[in-house]
């Protein structure tokens, strides 16, 4: 479904991604972790065509992102993305946040889009918030709306960039529960997170990135039980402690 | 100023009262027309200044600096005295003879362009305070760049910069008074004319002051209502 082939990206002399390769099958959940500045967000943005890269290629469903003639708008409709700081549209009510893209991009009728939006809000557990503004919701609720907004475009792949790291501890679980359900329903997911409980439960593969490259990868068992590099061990000790 | 004989009635006595009313009407027309043109152009130019395309940024920067850096009075003189000369002779004649109130429309051009460059700066500042990920979030749902600006970034940015826009709106109405220098018969011009006919300068200028106060207070009130209408939780709120 997604094939990342030797992707490298520079900002001037500074290399943000270095020969990153990874294959993600349909229905797989891949968790990416690593220290700040490792390039995790950059990789997500590259996957969605929000950032260009200089070398290598990313192929999504047979579409090459390195090809300049690729229609990025079409590509992005295959992928939903969820951000650390929710990024809901503050001037639109929750319902509108979810329906605007289906209406404007997919030319769905307002009635259909709203019906779909209510189903999604039901699915993320907050149908009663539809008529409020994002500013009136808690962080956890906003992030669940953000997930619903992404799902409204019926993507085949969902990208999450640290979806719970701006949340208070008591709200993390409500968001993770939604994500776990999504994973179990067969969604292909790329998740940047340090929530190792989530990784244990649903990840098919865990990747550890540092300084722009993948330094370790493994299925959940191998990754936690016997990390190959000293650096991974150190990092895991640190995040598993807290 | 011994024994100055106040005669406030000159403000409404025939024919001065109707001069004053005509002046007020022209001031309001001029302000409203310039405000909407400037708001439209300013939003457009401000947006072009933050788009990813170099050429459009360059154009918008040039536009902003050109119209912002020259005194408004000089710009009005340029549009009134210089610009028509550059036109082919027949156009120039048409401008002066064919268009009734050509001086009014010349001021519309000058004042709108000047104000739009200032509005563009506010809009740009608003847009730059919106996080990159907000743009990314909109793009990630499949929006084009245009849709991202149209549905997300511009409505968001305008809400962020309503307070400075209110000030700009007041400034437009106050700046319409400069139109008297190119013989547009607006409030200031009329009050000066009443003064010239009656020698009652105190009453005439006081009258103009009151008119501007009423107009600007009305603008403040309307903008307050607009701000309330547009206010959303989590963004600037009006107290
Ligand atoms: N526009 C840019 N110009 C130069 N360097 C950049 C730019 N954007 C990001 N970087 C650098 O790229 C590196 C990778 O950034 P990225 O945001 O992907 O890190 P991350 O792994 O997501 O870290 P975090 O956990 O803090 O989110 C960082 O060192 C960052 O400073
Ligand atoms: Mg990041």
């Amino acid at each position: 479904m997604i094939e990342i082939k030797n992707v490298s990206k520079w900002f001037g002399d500074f290399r943000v991604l270095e020969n990153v390769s990874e294959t993600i099958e349909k229905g797989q959940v891949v968790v990416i972790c690593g220290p700040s500045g490792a390039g995790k967000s950059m990789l997500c943005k590259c996957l969605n065509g929000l950032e260009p890269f200089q070398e290598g290629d990313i192929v999504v469903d047979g579409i090459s992102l390195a090809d300049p003639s690729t229609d990025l708008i079409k590509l992005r409709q295959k992928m939903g993305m969820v951000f650390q700081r929710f990024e809901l549209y503050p001037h639109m009510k929750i319902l509108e946040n979810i329906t605007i893209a289906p209406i404007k991009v997919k030319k769905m009728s307002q009635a259909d889009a709203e019906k779909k939006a209510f189903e999604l809000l039901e699915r993320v557990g907050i149908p009663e918030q539809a008529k409020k503004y994002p500013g009136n919701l808690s962080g956890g609720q906003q992030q669940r709306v953000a997930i619903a907004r992404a799902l409204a475009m019926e993507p085949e792949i969902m990208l999450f960039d640290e979806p719970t790291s701006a949340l208070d501890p008591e709200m993390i679980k409500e968001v993770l529960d939604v994500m776990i359900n999504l994973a179990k329903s067969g969604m292909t997911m790329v998740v940047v997170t340090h929530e190792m409980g989530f990784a244990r439960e649903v990840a098919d593969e865990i990747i550890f990135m540092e300084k722009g490259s993948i330094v370790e990868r493994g299925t959940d068992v191998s990754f936690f039980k016997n990390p190959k590099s000293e650096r991974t061990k150190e990092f895991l000790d640190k995040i598993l402690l807290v | 100023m011994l024994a100055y004989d106040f005669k406030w009635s000159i403000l409404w006595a025939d024919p001065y009262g109707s001069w004053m009313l005509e002046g007020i009407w022209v001031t309001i027309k001029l302000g409203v027309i310039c405000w909407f043109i400037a708001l439209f152009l300013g939003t457009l130019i401000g947006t072009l200044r933050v788009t990813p395309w170099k050429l459009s940024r360059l154009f918008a920067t040039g536009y902003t600096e050109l119209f912002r850096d020259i005194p408004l009075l000089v710009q009005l003189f340029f549009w009134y005295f210089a610009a028509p000369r550059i036109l082919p002779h027949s156009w120039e004649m048409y401008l002066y003879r064919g268009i009734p109130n050509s001086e009014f429309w010349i001021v519309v051009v000058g004042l709108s362009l000047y104000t739009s460059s200032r509005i563009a700066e506010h809009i740009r500042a608003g847009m730059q305070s919106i996080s990159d990920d907000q743009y990314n979030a909109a793009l990630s749902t499949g929006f084009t760049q245009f849709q991202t600006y149209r549905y997300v970034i511009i409505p968001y940015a305008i809400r962020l910069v309503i307070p400075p826009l209110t000030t700009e709106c007041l400034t437009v109405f106050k700046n319409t008074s400069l139109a008297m220098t190119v013989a547009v018969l607006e409030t200031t011009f009329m009050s000066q004319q009443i003064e010239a006919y009656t020698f009652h300068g105190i009453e005439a200028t006081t009258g103009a002051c009151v008119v501007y106060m009423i107009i600007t207070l009305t603008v403040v009130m309307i903008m307050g209502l607009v701000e309330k209408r547009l206010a959303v939780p989590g963004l600037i709120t009006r107290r």
Side-chain angles (χ1 to χ4, degrees), chain A residues 11-12 14-17 34-43 45 51 84 161-162 192 194 209, chain B residues 132:
Chain A
F11 281 111
F14 181 71
R15 204 179 236 216
V16 231
L17 292 176
S36 184
K40 308 175 301 285
S41 299
M42 207 48 76
L43 183 59
K45 286 181 207 159
E51 283 278 348
Q84 183 170 358
D161 187 5
E162 306 209 35
V192 177
H194 294 141
M209 282 182 78
Chain B
D132 278 353

Side-chain angles (χ1 to χ4, degrees), chain A:
Chain A
M1 175 125 256
I2 304 177
E3 211 174 328
I4 307 171
K5 299 185 222 167
N6 286 316
V7 167
S8 294
K9 176 178 175 69
W10 287 266
F11 281 111
D13 285 341
F14 181 71
R15 204 179 236 216
V16 231
L17 292 176
E18 187 164 355
N19 277 322
V20 174
S21 294
E22 168 70 9
T23 306
I24 302 165
E25 303 295 340
K26 195 171 170 57
Q28 270 196 328
V29 176
V30 174
V31 163
I32 303 174
C33 59
S36 184
K40 308 175 301 285
S41 299
M42 207 48 76
L43 183 59
C44 278
K45 286 181 207 159
C46 288
L47 279 174
N48 210 352
L50 292 168
E51 283 278 348
F53 45 87
Q54 283 90 3
E55 268 179 17
D57 196 2
I58 298 176
V59 181
V60 179
D61 233 4
I63 306 171
S64 155
L65 267 88
D67 181 353
S69 69
T70 291
D71 183 355
L72 290 177
I73 306 292
K74 278 262 154 53
L75 174 97
R76 290 183 191 130
Q77 292 178 40
K78 286 180 184 294
M79 289 197 252
M81 188 158 177
V82 174
F83 297 81
Q84 183 170 358
R85 305 224 43 103
F86 332 131
E87 309 300 344
L88 296 179
Y89 313 135
H91 56 288
M92 294 181 198
K93 292 188 173 151
I94 299 306
L95 194 62
E96 222 189 328
N97 261 278
I98 301 174
T99 55
I100 182 129
I103 291 173
K104 301 297 177 192
V105 178
K106 282 197 165 169
K107 312 289 174 210
M108 205 186 256
S109 76
Q110 176 147 350
D112 288 350
E114 288 188 358
K115 188 162 158 283
K116 171 111 199 149
F118 273 111
E119 283 168 23
L120 288 166
L121 282 174
E122 201 79 56
R123 187 163 164 193
V124 299
I126 39 173
E128 73 284 357
Q129 309 291 347
K131 294 277 157 36
K132 292 192 188 162
Y133 283 100
N136 286 333
L137 269 57
S138 73
Q141 291 171 331
Q142 289 192 51
Q143 195 60 300
R144 286 186 279 162
V145 173
I147 295 173
R149 176 178 68 182
L151 290 175
M153 289 298 288
E154 301 182 318
E156 295 162 41
I157 301 160
M158 284 286 284
L159 309 174
F160 293 84
D161 187 5
E162 306 209 35
T164 58
S165 50
L167 296 177
D168 292 337
E170 67 266 31
M171 292 171 195
I172 291 179
K173 189 177 172 311
E174 62 189 48
V175 172
L176 287 181
D177 283 345
V178 169
M179 291 168 60
I180 288 169
N181 282 334
L182 196 58
K184 290 187 171 160
S185 74
M187 178 65 78
T188 310
M189 290 164 65
V190 177
V191 185
V192 177
T193 187
H194 294 141
E195 292 295 332
M196 289 301 135
F198 171 82
R200 276 219 179 85
E201 188 159 352
V202 294
D204 297 294
E205 189 176 24
I206 304 172
I207 291 172
F208 180 72
M209 282 182 78
E210 194 180 23
K211 298 203 182 105
S213 44
I214 299 181
V215 294
E216 177 132 2
R217 65 177 85 222
T219 61
D220 64 351
V221 185
S222 65
F223 189 81
F224 290 111
K225 288 274 162 61
N226 36 21
K228 282 173 227 122
S229 81
E230 200 50 42
R231 188 67 187 90
T232 315
K233 209 175 284 172
E234 238 173 72
F235 184 78
L236 280 177
D237 283 347
K238 224 183 286 166
I239 58 172
L240 288 177
L241 255 176
V242 287

Side-chain angles (χ1 to χ4, degrees), chain B residues 78-98:
Chain B
F78 174 83
W79 293 114
Y80 188 73
F81 295 112
R85 293 284 147 75
I86 302 167
L87 297 173
H89 187 69
S90 59
W91 293 22
E92 189 187 341
M93 283 301 112
Y94 176 74
L95 184 67
Y96 288 134
R97 306 243 171 86

Side-chain angles (χ1 to χ4, degrees), chain B residues 41-57:
Chain B
L41 286 177
T43 307
L44 184 71
I45 297 294
T47 306
L48 289 181
R49 279 199 85 171
V50 298
T51 48
W53 308 289
K54 224 189 202 118
L55 217 64
S56 75
R57 282 205 308 266

